[in-house]
Amino acid sequence: MDIFRYIVRFLYKIRWYLVILPMIALVVAWFLTRNMERVYDANTTIYTGMITGYSIEGNGSGGGNGQTNITNLMLIIQTDNTIHEVALRLFARCMLYGNPNKDNNYITAEHFQQLEATVPADVRALVQNGEDESYGRLKAYEKPSQDNYLYNLLNHHPYFSINSITSRLKVLRLENSDIIDIAYSANDPGICYNTLDILNKVFAAQYQQLRYGETMNVINFFRREVNKLSKVLNAAENDLIRYNIRHRIINYGEQTKQLTVLDMQQQNAANELRKNKATTEALINYLKQQMGNRQQLFQTNEKFTGMVREISRLQSRIANLKLMNSENSGNNPEAQLELAKAERELADATAKVKDYTASIEAATFSTETGVKAKDLIDRWLEQVLILEQTKAELAVYDVMRSKLDDQYKFYSPLGATIDRKARHIGFIEGNYMEMLKALNAARLRQRNLQMSTATLKQLNPPVFP
């Protein structure tokens, strides 16, 4: 109790100090802070989707490492290039919409008066017809010179200098999420709000431009290569088409196959004719022996031999006409008429020679075999006519053999040339497909980057403080 009484007594003694000293401190504090400016804060949150977002490449949104992408985005927001554009656009917006007589959502009247007093007339003339056009003219006007107003503005002004904006800008990633928070502070509420509003648009465009730049050059390269290879491929294919037309090639493999089959058929038919010829010649020799002197009578008869030569000529003509008709697939009416005429002439000549042999027979029966001489002569004449027909057909087959040899000589180099052209086309086509595949992959990459840029959403847009 004594201690409590002593404390109360002490406080009572110094009661005036306890009242006067805080009052003095309050007055001094008010006097020292009466002209201090207020500081306004604004912030915005952006969803990036770089870690949990969907990717059509299946390797994380936007490709690459999500952590790295977010770090890159945060650095892009704070780079001088981004802040430079923000500063120029902010200056253009303030000059367009500022009011020296009334505070508004862009800049206070007091700060606008201070700004307007420093802007030269030539710079003020650049700001018109909207923010985008004004920004373009301001950017073209800026030069790295101390005499340039914009150069000094971007390096020294408290609202528009790059260093000033960067020092008051805070970019943070919220924990381990896909969301980043951007905060800014200034002594002017309009400047604070509009700086963040412009920054949101500028950094998204900067990010999109940088990410697209990774693939656009690649896409343009592959597109040029694909177009070039497409032209080369078309030229090579057209050259092969012209080559086939010039040499009447429809299907080389099938045509050579048919040629081989025809050659085999011709060889088999020629071998059969040679066998028949040998058989007929043997039979004729046998019949000559049976006929004795009679065969000499016919062979020395000029009229008989002339008839046989005429029959041989007609048989050769018929064989040639049949060959021509088969080559034209029976589509030549004139050849068919000539063939029918030659066959009638052959029938007439055969009948005449048979009648003539009957008229010059010298004997009726063979003394050696007991067979009638007329039968021997008929058989002998029949074999002679068959022999002449066989010789005529063999002559035609010799012509066919020569033509087939020419066809082999014609097709052999064509095959090598066609194969070489086909290999050339295949090589170009392979390169074309590889380039097309690479182009599609680059386009897929670009589309994925577009999707990743599209996921930059403002969850909380900046609010006017």
Side-chain angles (χ1 to χ4, degrees):
M1 290 297 293
D2 292 338
I3 296 176
F4 179 74
R5 189 165 47 251
Y6 290 145
I7 294 173
V8 172
R9 188 179 299 170
F10 173 76
L11 291 176
Y12 179 75
K13 288 180 179 180
I14 63 172
R15 62 187 181 278
W16 296 111
Y17 296 100
L18 294 176
V19 174
I20 295 172
L21 290 178
M23 292 295 295
I24 294 174
L26 179 62
V27 172
V28 172
W30 173 83
F31 182 80
L32 294 176
T33 61
R34 71 187 188 280
N35 295 322
M36 286 184 64
E37 294 181 331
R38 296 182 179 181
V39 176
Y40 300 89
D41 297 318
N43 73 300
T44 180
T45 52
I46 307 296
Y47 173 74
T48 64
M50 292 180 176
I51 296 179
T52 61
Y54 174 75
S55 170
I56 57 179
E57 292 181 319
N59 57 357
S61 182
N65 184 277
Q67 303 281 353
T68 304
N69 289 338
I70 290 182
T71 302
N72 290 339
L73 179 60
M74 294 172 64
L75 292 175
I76 288 172
I77 294 173
Q78 301 174 80
T79 56
D80 288 351
N81 189 48
T82 303
I83 303 302
H84 179 276
E85 183 175 348
V86 171
L88 277 183
R89 288 186 178 274
L90 180 63
F91 174 73
R93 182 176 291 186
C94 290
M95 291 300 298
L96 283 170
Y97 305 114
N99 190 331
N101 301 316
K102 183 180 180 182
D103 294 346
N104 56 26
N105 289 341
Y106 301 99
I107 189 172
T108 62
E110 178 186 359
H111 294 151
F112 181 70
Q113 291 174 5
Q114 297 172 0
L115 174 64
E116 192 177 32
T118 64
V119 179
D122 56 342
V123 176
R124 191 180 295 112
L126 299 175
V127 183
Q128 54 183 334
N129 298 331
E131 182 181 320
D132 290 335
E133 291 189 19
S134 300
Y135 167 75
R137 285 191 288 267
L138 291 172
K139 187 176 182 180
Y141 177 84
E142 181 194 1
K143 296 291 187 297
S145 171
Q146 291 293 338
D147 298 331
N148 188 275
Y149 172 79
L150 293 180
Y151 177 80
N152 288 285
L153 181 81
L154 296 175
N155 283 278
H156 305 296
H157 198 278
Y159 297 151
F160 308 112
S161 71
I162 296 175
N163 291 333
S164 177
I165 295 176
T166 304
S167 64
R168 288 178 285 163
L169 185 67
K170 296 180 180 179
V171 182
L172 300 173
R173 179 184 175 191
L174 299 182
E175 298 181 355
N176 293 322
S177 66
D178 288 341
I179 301 173
I180 59 175
D181 181 82
I182 306 174
Y184 189 72
S185 61
N187 62 354
D188 188 300
I191 293 293
C192 182
Y193 168 77
N194 286 282
T195 300
L196 277 186
D197 181 61
I198 294 172
L199 178 63
N200 282 344
K201 299 173 183 176
V202 171
F203 87 79
Q206 292 277 2
Y207 178 75
Q208 183 179 16
Q209 182 179 1
L210 288 173
R211 297 306 302 272
Y212 287 175
E214 296 177 359
T215 58
M216 188 54 65
N217 293 334
V218 177
I219 289 176
N220 291 334
F221 168 76
F222 284 124
R223 186 184 290 119
R224 289 193 300 268
E225 290 299 313
V226 166
N227 292 335
K228 182 170 68 175
L229 288 173
S230 177
K231 293 178 181 178
V232 175
L233 181 60
N234 289 333
E237 290 176 342
N238 292 334
D239 178 64
L240 179 59
I241 291 173
R242 289 191 297 269
Y243 186 82
N244 288 338
I245 293 174
R246 186 166 62 251
H247 296 92
R248 302 174 62 84
I249 303 296
I250 298 176
N251 186 327
Y252 180 80
E254 189 64 27
Q255 285 178 262
T256 52
K257 178 181 177 181
Q258 293 296 329
L259 177 63
T260 304
V261 171
L262 180 60
D263 180 57
M264 187 176 297
Q265 292 175 349
Q266 293 294 323
Q267 289 182 0
N268 292 336
N271 291 335
E272 187 67 24
L273 286 174
R274 292 188 184 95
K275 183 178 70 174
N276 293 339
K277 179 185 176 184
T279 303
T280 304
E281 288 176 343
L283 185 57
I284 289 175
N285 292 331
Y286 171 76
L287 291 174
K288 284 181 179 180
Q289 294 177 1
Q290 298 298 318
M291 289 171 62
N293 294 330
R294 290 184 180 87
Q295 56 90 17
Q296 295 180 356
L297 177 64
F298 289 102
Q299 289 181 345
T300 56
N301 188 294
E302 293 183 358
K303 186 176 181 180
F304 175 80
T305 55
M307 289 181 175
V308 172
R309 285 195 300 271
E310 179 64 17
I311 290 174
S312 178
R313 185 188 68 80
L314 290 172
Q315 287 174 335
S316 297
R317 179 168 176 75
I318 289 171
N320 288 323
L321 289 172
K322 286 182 178 180
L323 176 62
M324 292 173 57
N325 203 31
S326 64
E327 290 178 348
N328 295 324
S329 301
N331 296 325
N332 192 341
E334 295 182 0
Q336 293 178 0
L337 292 175
E338 288 292 329
L339 177 60
K341 179 181 178 182
E343 287 176 344
R344 289 195 300 271
E345 291 178 355
L346 177 62
D348 293 340
T350 303
K352 288 179 180 179
V353 74
K354 288 182 179 180
D355 292 340
Y356 184 68
T357 55
S359 65
I360 63 173
E361 286 183 357
T364 303
F365 296 99
S366 172
T367 57
E368 297 179 5
T369 61
V371 182
K372 290 184 178 180
K374 184 176 182 303
D375 293 338
L376 285 173
I377 294 171
D378 289 343
R379 290 177 62 190
W380 173 77
L381 179 61
E382 179 183 358
Q383 296 301 316
V384 170
L385 297 178
I386 291 175
L387 180 61
E388 294 300 325
Q389 180 181 359
T390 303
K391 290 179 179 179
E393 291 179 353
L394 278 173
V396 171
Y397 277 108
D398 290 339
V399 174
M400 283 293 297
R401 178 75 264 162
S402 177
K403 290 185 176 180
L404 287 174
D405 291 341
D406 293 339
Q407 289 292 308
Y408 274 109
K409 294 177 182 178
F410 175 77
Y411 277 106
S412 294
L414 291 185
T417 304
I418 290 175
D419 288 342
R420 185 166 60 249
K421 291 180 178 293
R423 286 195 301 271
H424 180 60
I425 292 174
F427 175 75
I428 298 173
E429 186 176 16
N431 289 339
Y432 174 80
M433 294 305 297
E434 288 298 323
M435 287 296 175
L436 187 61
K437 186 186 299 183
L439 175 62
N440 290 334
R443 284 175 172 167
L444 182 65
R445 169 76 172 174
Q446 184 188 49
R447 179 59 61 185
N448 199 52
L449 293 176
Q450 289 176 342
M451 290 176 60
S452 68
T453 305
T455 59
L456 296 177
K457 302 292 185 183
Q458 294 186 51
L459 294 181
N460 297 314
V463 179
F464 190 85

